[in-house]
Amino acid sequence: MSARTHAPSEQDWTDPDWLDDPWTANEPRRRIRRKPVGRRQLAQLTADEDSEQDDVIRRLKDLGHITDVVAELKSGKEATAYVARGPRGSVLVKLYRDLQARSFKDDRVYRAGQVILDVRAAKAMHNRTRKGLEMLQQDWVLSEYAHLWTLWTAGLNVPEPLAGPHPTAYADTIPAVLMRLIGTEDHVAPRLSDAHLTPEQARSAWEQSLDGMAHLLRLGYAHGDYSTYNLLWQEDTVTIIDFPQLSTRQNPHFQGLLARDAQSLATSFRKHGIHADSQSVLRDVQRRAQGPAPEPRLLLP
């Protein structure tokens, strides 16, 4: 992802550097086979049995998180997403690539305002040394888990995280993030950018998307890439995805990221016949953020 801090423009939302997530690549979505052909067992995920991906998948199996991989959902520049099965049902495995091999360029705009007490660690991350890249990779994955748990327990429409909630539990899955699959194995929920909506559905999706952004703001968050590319559509319900870059009010770029989210949402909804300017979207979201919050979810032991 790029790390821009300038005022948003319509061109920003077509820049592929912003769309590196496996659910957000600006390209036609791979059709999911109704009955995946050549279903692969965990130890045969790739042709190279010694590959890092295979090691991660086998570790997830050993930890009891998944039992087998059904099919590859999407392969992007930043990560590969797999549909898998586990003891709690269908799982989405988002497997991040090694930072040295990824196109990921700079996350400083999202990490601004964070305090890292370990001076040596902060320097390594800033200079993007090999050790620093490893720590950035861990931080990226741990942040997505932490944000997922915060948002899911707060009652927002986000995928349920399937490792945790304690960091020691989900740290074992790095560099993968495990979450409940939205949809079914045969019909994975499409992104709103790919969904075909009636005018009534488009209006409902728009209202839900505004509410979702307002719920994030109420909790003190800016998504950082809030558009139809990061919103799923399943059973007339919008689900928000992709959270590693979530920023808080401590980030000096918070207002700019929030404004960019409003611009991105307005621009990406035009294909569904919804036309709104970014300033009115931002005002509407700020007004909604003053309203009632979703009903929190209870974490069962």
Side-chain angles (χ1 to χ4, degrees):
M1 294 183 183
S2 300
R4 300 189 177 93
T5 57
H6 60 263
S9 67
E10 184 166 335
Q11 184 178 2
D12 289 337
W13 319 122
T14 58
D15 184 346
D17 284 345
W18 285 103
L19 305 171
D20 287 334
D21 184 84
W23 253 328
T24 59
N26 191 11
E27 59 184 44
R29 180 171 174 267
R30 179 175 299 177
R31 183 182 297 275
I32 303 302
R33 297 181 184 274
R34 186 172 183 80
K35 292 184 179 180
V37 175
R39 182 169 293 171
R40 295 168 291 182
Q41 299 301 312
L42 290 173
Q44 301 170 331
L45 183 61
T46 66
D48 181 4
E49 294 185 358
D50 295 325
S51 72
E52 183 179 352
Q53 277 193 337
D54 283 338
D55 290 341
V56 174
I57 293 296
R58 281 193 287 268
R59 174 156 47 87
L60 296 177
K61 179 185 177 183
D62 292 340
L63 290 169
H65 290 302
I66 60 177
T67 55
D68 76 311
V69 172
V70 177
E72 180 182 299
L73 174 61
K74 182 72 177 179
S75 181
K77 297 177 182 178
E78 304 299 337
T80 300
Y82 297 99
V83 176
R85 293 189 185 126
R88 298 175 59 187
S90 297
V91 182
L92 190 287
V93 179
K94 184 177 179 181
L95 182 53
Y96 281 101
R97 302 186 190 284
D98 189 293
L99 263 173
Q100 293 177 313
R102 286 161 50 188
S103 65
F104 186 80
K105 295 180 177 58
D106 197 346
D107 66 348
R108 290 185 180 91
V109 68
Y110 304 114
R111 293 188 293 106
Q114 290 183 358
V115 177
I116 302 176
L117 298 179
D118 188 325
V119 177
R120 293 180 63 185
K123 183 177 180 180
M125 294 168 73
H126 178 78
N127 293 333
R128 304 179 80 81
T129 64
R130 182 173 180 177
K131 185 62 176 179
L133 289 174
E134 291 178 3
M135 289 186 285
L136 284 171
Q137 174 81 297
Q138 293 176 3
D139 184 64
W140 198 246
V141 175
L142 294 176
S143 293
E144 181 150 22
Y145 268 124
H147 296 324
L148 268 174
W149 276 111
T150 297
L151 302 178
W152 190 82
T153 54
L156 275 68
N157 285 338
V158 301
E160 179 186 1
L162 294 180
H166 197 277
T168 55
Y170 54 71
D172 289 337
T173 74
I174 292 174
V177 178
L178 307 178
M179 63 195 83
R180 191 173 299 282
L181 182 71
I182 305 300
T184 66
E185 292 179 8
D186 291 337
H187 299 284
V188 179
R191 299 171 300 176
L192 267 174
S193 59
D194 299 321
H196 299 285
L197 308 180
T198 66
E200 293 76 15
Q201 288 176 321
R203 175 54 60 180
S204 174
W206 173 250
E207 292 295 322
Q208 291 182 57
S209 300
L210 290 174
D211 283 341
M213 186 174 168
H215 294 330
L216 288 171
L217 180 58
R218 184 184 295 105
L219 294 173
Y221 292 121
H223 185 281
D225 196 5
Y226 198 74
S227 73
T228 56
Y229 293 99
N230 280 323
L231 299 170
L232 303 183
W233 181 250
Q234 175 71 12
E235 297 181 349
D236 292 338
T237 300
V238 170
T239 299
I240 311 169
I241 61 171
D242 191 29
F243 302 105
Q245 75 287 333
L246 214 66
S247 296
T248 68
R249 295 182 186 275
Q250 283 69 46
N251 189 322
H253 307 294
F254 183 83
Q255 293 301 326
L257 291 169
L258 190 64
R260 195 178 70 193
D261 280 347
Q263 173 70 60
S264 179
L265 187 66
T267 301
S268 62
F269 253 95
R270 290 174 187 168
K271 69 163 289 186
H272 294 305
I274 303 294
H275 297 277
D277 66 273
S278 61
Q279 290 301 315
S280 65
V281 169
L282 185 56
R283 288 193 297 269
D284 192 358
V285 166
Q286 291 171 327
R287 176 184 60 80
R288 293 178 187 228
Q290 303 303 314
E295 188 71 24
R297 293 184 176 94
L298 294 178
L299 284 180
L300 299 177

